[in-house]
Amino acid sequence: MSEIFAWLSTVFLLIPAAVLSAHQGSDRAAMFMMFGGVWLVMVICRTFTTLNVLQISKSRANAHVNISVLIAALILTLSLLIFHVGGTFNLSMSSVYDFRQDFNESLTFPLSYLLPFAGGPLSGFIAAYLMHKKKYKLLAIPVVVGILLFGFSTHKAMLFYPLFAVVIYTAITSRAGHIYLMGLFIFLSAATFLTAGTGLEDFLGSSFANRLVFIPAQIHYFFFREFADIGPQFWAESRLSFGLARSDLPLPSVNYIGLMMTGYPEIGANTGWIANGYMNGWLFGIVLYSIIMAATLHVIDSLGERYGYGFIGAAFAIPIFNMINSIDLLAGYLTGGLLLLFVIAFLFIQPKDLSTDPVRDAR
């Protein structure tokens, strides 16, 4: 996972940030802090490995999961969602934002926590495990549920999460996986240019080039620029501050930055762990988050050493990717579902004696 983290950070944050810095004259100091944060995570993670910290087990074992229980939880969440929206269904990519704010405001506990977890980390975990066990026909379950979750929730990311887990699993377990991933990225980039002015431009231009590549890096720059002037918030928006720190902002940070970027305060500019770390504690915040991120990756790597890097890496790829691009590190453990995913990994995965498995040595 530490290597996948580096790859995802490079492709979806550092390269776009460098392009924006060169093209728009964005602050190079901010760009260097983004690079420095990723490098610091990798150095700390390598240090943990060298010091042999937290070795869950030195013996490899096959992973066995009672997948029926997890699939049932996924379907139960979908059923609760359908009941909540009264069966209202919409698969239009272009109109999801017309209903997004109303839908988000309507969510209450427990669906407000179950939905993002089921549509992201849980769906990815199930897809990764089914790939690991070569139960390809059953992959239709998380894929179809992902489509339905998108249609009933307006959150189109849930449509792609199972496929994302499959792609990451294939990349990890293939000798030329990194080449396939770069080839896919280049293909989507070329298709975005070629489809300019066509109906497909809304999908590739908005969902891929903007939302997935350039907007996250641009939001990072806005966070660095604004909070360099405003000053650190010392986790004022987090319960970890116990109310001792008060925000200097008239709006929640994501809406404040959304206002700065678009002029609309209802727009939420979600961002990843580096920008959030800077917002909360400047350089200290980035260093602190780097340590927590490195420790997180090291635990996942240890699980991968135990049960196979392909399965574990793909299972955790979604929450890690979200932390890189669109969610605060500490919030990612709770609302992002990473903590619950660790609970599932430690409680639901049962080791079995190692048998012939062509992906057990995949790294």
Side-chain angles (χ1 to χ4, degrees), residues 188-271:
L188 291 175
S189 300
T192 302
F193 284 107
L194 294 175
T195 56
T198 68
L200 291 174
E201 183 183 24
D202 290 338
F203 171 69
L204 290 173
S206 175
S207 299
F208 173 69
N210 284 338
R211 185 65 188 92
L212 197 59
V213 180
F214 286 115
I215 287 181
Q218 193 170 34
I219 293 175
H220 273 71
Y221 276 118
F222 268 86
F223 266 77
F224 276 103
R225 187 185 70 187
E226 295 298 325
F227 288 100
D229 296 332
I230 298 172
Q233 300 301 292
F234 299 110
W235 290 269
E237 296 181 354
S238 172
R239 294 181 180 179
L240 294 177
S241 66
F242 299 103
L244 297 177
R246 297 184 61 182
S247 176
D248 295 327
L249 307 176
L251 297 168
S253 60
V254 294
N255 297 102
Y256 179 79
I257 298 300
L259 174 64
M260 295 295 102
M261 293 182 66
T262 68
Y264 298 100
E266 65 272 15
I267 298 296
N270 297 311
T271 189

Side-chain angles (χ1 to χ4, degrees), residues 40-328:
L40 183 58
V41 169
M42 298 308 299
V43 169
I44 298 173
C45 202
R46 181 60 62 89
T47 302
F48 285 156
T49 302
T50 303
L51 296 176
N52 201 30
V53 177
L54 191 62
Q55 292 296 322
I56 293 177
S57 175
K58 294 184 179 180
S59 60
R60 186 69 62 86
N62 273 336
H64 174 72
V65 177
N66 190 345
I67 199 67
S68 300
V69 175
L70 299 183
I71 292 177
L74 183 64
I75 295 176
L76 175 61
T77 303
L78 173 62
S79 302
L80 292 174
L81 174 63
I82 295 174
F83 177 79
H84 174 75
V85 299
T88 304
F89 189 72
N90 174 36
L91 280 178
S92 173
M93 289 278 187
S94 59
S95 63
V96 293
Y97 294 109
D98 295 339
F99 312 101
R100 174 72 57 80
Q101 185 175 1
D102 292 337
F103 173 79
N104 289 341
E105 291 177 352
S106 72
L107 284 180
T108 56
F109 182 85
L111 195 57
S112 58
Y113 286 92
L114 288 177
L115 179 59
F117 174 71
L122 180 59
S123 178
F125 184 95
I126 292 172
Y129 182 74
L130 294 176
M131 285 291 293
H132 184 62
K133 292 299 182 181
K134 300 187 181 341
K135 297 180 179 180
Y136 302 125
K137 293 182 179 179
L138 291 179
L139 277 172
I141 296 175
V143 171
V144 171
V145 171
I147 295 173
L148 295 176
L149 287 175
F150 159 58
F152 287 112
S153 73
T154 76
H155 286 274
K156 55 187 175 182
M158 297 179 184
L159 175 66
F160 302 104
Y161 280 148
L163 302 177
F164 180 70
V166 170
V167 169
I168 294 298
Y169 179 88
T170 304
I172 296 176
T173 56
S174 172
R175 291 181 181 273
H178 60 293
I179 297 177
Y180 297 149
L181 286 174
M182 289 303 300
L184 177 62
F185 188 84
I186 292 172
F187 169 77
L188 291 175
S189 300
T192 302
F193 284 107
L194 294 175
T195 56
T198 68
L200 291 174
E201 183 183 24
D202 290 338
F203 171 69
L204 290 173
S206 175
S207 299
F208 173 69
N210 284 338
R211 185 65 188 92
L212 197 59
V213 180
F214 286 115
I215 287 181
Q218 193 170 34
I219 293 175
H220 273 71
Y221 276 118
F222 268 86
F223 266 77
F224 276 103
R225 187 185 70 187
E226 295 298 325
F227 288 100
D229 296 332
I230 298 172
Q233 300 301 292
F234 299 110
W235 290 269
E237 296 181 354
S238 172
R239 294 181 180 179
L240 294 177
S241 66
F242 299 103
L244 297 177
R246 297 184 61 182
S247 176
D248 295 327
L249 307 176
L251 297 168
S253 60
V254 294
N255 297 102
Y256 179 79
I257 298 300
L259 174 64
M260 295 295 102
M261 293 182 66
T262 68
Y264 298 100
E266 65 272 15
I267 298 296
N270 297 311
T271 189
W273 70 274
I274 296 179
N276 275 294
Y278 185 80
M279 175 192 76
N280 286 307
W282 281 3
L283 289 179
F284 170 77
I286 294 179
V287 173
L288 176 62
Y289 275 24
S290 296
I291 296 172
I292 298 174
M293 178 63 81
T296 301
L297 297 176
H298 184 65
V299 174
I300 300 174
D301 283 345
S302 298
L303 286 169
E305 178 67 27
R306 176 66 165 156
Y307 298 114
Y309 291 101
F311 165 42
I312 296 298
F316 281 87
I318 291 172
I320 294 300
F321 177 71
N322 286 337
M323 286 182 177
I324 292 171
N325 262 2
S326 60
I327 194 168
D328 176 73

